[in-house]
Amino acid sequence: WAKAEGRDRWAVYDPERSARDIARSALAAGLPVALDRGEFVLHYQPIVSLLDGRMLAVEALVRWQHPQLGLIGPDQFIGLAEETGLIVRLGEWVLRQACDDAQRWHADFPDARLVVSVNLAARQADRPAIVDTVADALASTGLPAALLQLELTESAVMGSAGEPLRTLHRLAALGVRLAVDDFGTGYSNLAYLRRLPITCLKLAGPFVEGIRGTESADADHRDERIVDALVRLAHALELWVTAEAVETETQAERLRALRCDSAQGRLFGPPGPAEAVAARLRGDEL
Ligand code: C2E
Ligand code: MG
Ligand code: MG
Ligand code: MG
């Protein structure tokens, strides 16, 4: 038993409170300190054209270089950062760093017109101040707005009416591209989708994973037919389509046959440090 504040308030020792919960709160407590100490790093994963294999964009994916625990993936801390509100500051750092790196690539390889794609959490995207944050990141780094793409989740954009919708339109008016991330896994409202100022749909990994070619046990190719339908939907709305989590040559071939525009995944390169992007741009130039 532990006595909390006040006479009638007792905090009960709860053996059910797992070691995992305790580790989680310890991690959450460490986040603001980590941000101040510069322990976050961005890795970048290529998004390539399925027509000619050229690298069109890179997605910025944040990692935490923890002094004791090593490199920690975003699935371990983005949710925590959203709960504690730190996502706003962390997101600003990500945006600034990504624009800074992209401006450097643009200065060194102007013909590549390489786009940097940055994930926005729902909690960032629905604050009107995000417009100033994005405008500031562009102005202070000098990155042309057309070379920045923002990835929003279906739930973040679909629920938006009124103020949040105006925020999306103000972001689009800056000249940046807006993509819907993990498309097909949330609750999309198609009537609503056509009113959004978006430029790209990113097809969620699970559909791509279901593409296994002719030898597949899934004889009716259900996932492949869903991808077919989603690509047609996107094109009917004049949107680009990027397939996520492409791991095999078969998947890439099928996606190409279905007229999917671009793809991302281990087949085309894992997320890696900024230097790897510059090296690849140098290689593409040859
Ligand atoms: P996401 O935006 O859908 O990012 C794609 C995820 O797929 C990345 O995981 C990437 O490493 C992974 N991936 C890459 N290639 C393959 C593949 O061939 N197969 C499979 N199965 N997966 C692949 P990661 O880096 O662990 O990021 C996880 C999620 O964390 C992201 O999903 C995104 O929602 C979130 N996230 C990452 N960075 C940020 C950030 O800066 N801000 C916010 N708000 N969220 C972020
Ligand atoms: Mg992960
Ligand atoms: Mg993403
Ligand atoms: Mg995604």
Side-chain angles (χ1 to χ4, degrees), residues 42-262:
L42 290 186
H43 278 186
Y44 294 95
Q45 183 171 38
I47 297 174
V48 305
S49 163
L50 281 171
L51 282 180
D52 58 12
R54 210 170 63 85
M55 181 166 64
L56 304 173
V58 289
E59 178 174 7
L61 296 161
V62 69
R63 278 95 179 86
W64 178 3
Q65 185 63 64
H66 193 285
Q68 281 88 41
L69 303 172
L71 203 62
I72 302 178
D75 290 340
Q76 305 294 312
F77 63 81
I78 286 291
L80 288 175
E82 290 200 69
E83 284 165 33
T84 60
L86 188 79
I87 192 68
V88 174
R89 262 209 313 135
L90 176 59
E92 277 176 20
W93 177 82
V94 168
L95 200 56
R96 187 66 63 103
Q97 183 65 47
C99 289
D100 202 41
D101 287 336
Q103 163 54 29
R104 211 147 355 93
W105 297 321
H106 180 53
D108 292 345
F109 308 92
D111 295 340
R113 301 290 302 165
L114 188 74
V115 169
V116 72
S117 197
V118 174
N119 293 285
L120 291 190
R123 254 192 101 160
Q124 286 176 277
D126 64 14
R127 300 172 75 246
I130 187 67
V131 183
D132 290 332
T133 302
V134 172
D136 285 350
L138 292 170
S140 68
T141 59
L143 182 72
L147 299 186
L148 175 63
Q149 171 167 279
L150 302 174
E151 299 189 9
L152 306 137
T153 62
E154 248 171 317
S155 51
V157 292
M158 291 305 160
S160 55
E163 187 64 44
L165 184 59
R166 273 194 294 283
T167 303
L168 285 187
H169 278 281
R170 286 170 61 218
L171 280 174
L174 294 176
V176 304
R177 302 161 187 232
L178 301 178
V180 179
D181 203 356
D182 302 329
F183 186 73
T185 57
Y187 301 94
S188 273
N189 173 336
L190 297 183
Y192 192 75
L193 187 67
R194 77 186 204 287
R195 294 169 43 207
L196 293 173
I198 52 175
T199 40
C200 174
L201 296 182
K202 296 191 75 175
L203 298 188
F207 300 122
V208 176
E209 202 190 310
I211 300 179
R212 294 196 185 87
T214 44
E215 70 284 2
S216 163
D218 170 24
D220 60 1
H221 305 290
R222 212 166 271 262
D223 283 322
E224 186 164 332
R225 289 193 291 165
I226 291 176
V227 171
D228 185 18
L230 293 180
V231 171
R232 287 170 198 271
L233 170 70
H235 287 168
L237 296 171
E238 297 179 308
L239 303 173
W240 296 96
V241 192
T242 300
E244 298 187 73
V246 179
E247 297 177 355
T248 70
E249 201 56 68
T250 304
Q251 290 168 344
E253 271 165 33
R254 295 309 303 146
L255 288 163
R256 211 174 281 124
L258 297 174
R259 305 274 182 274
C260 182
D261 305 289
S262 53

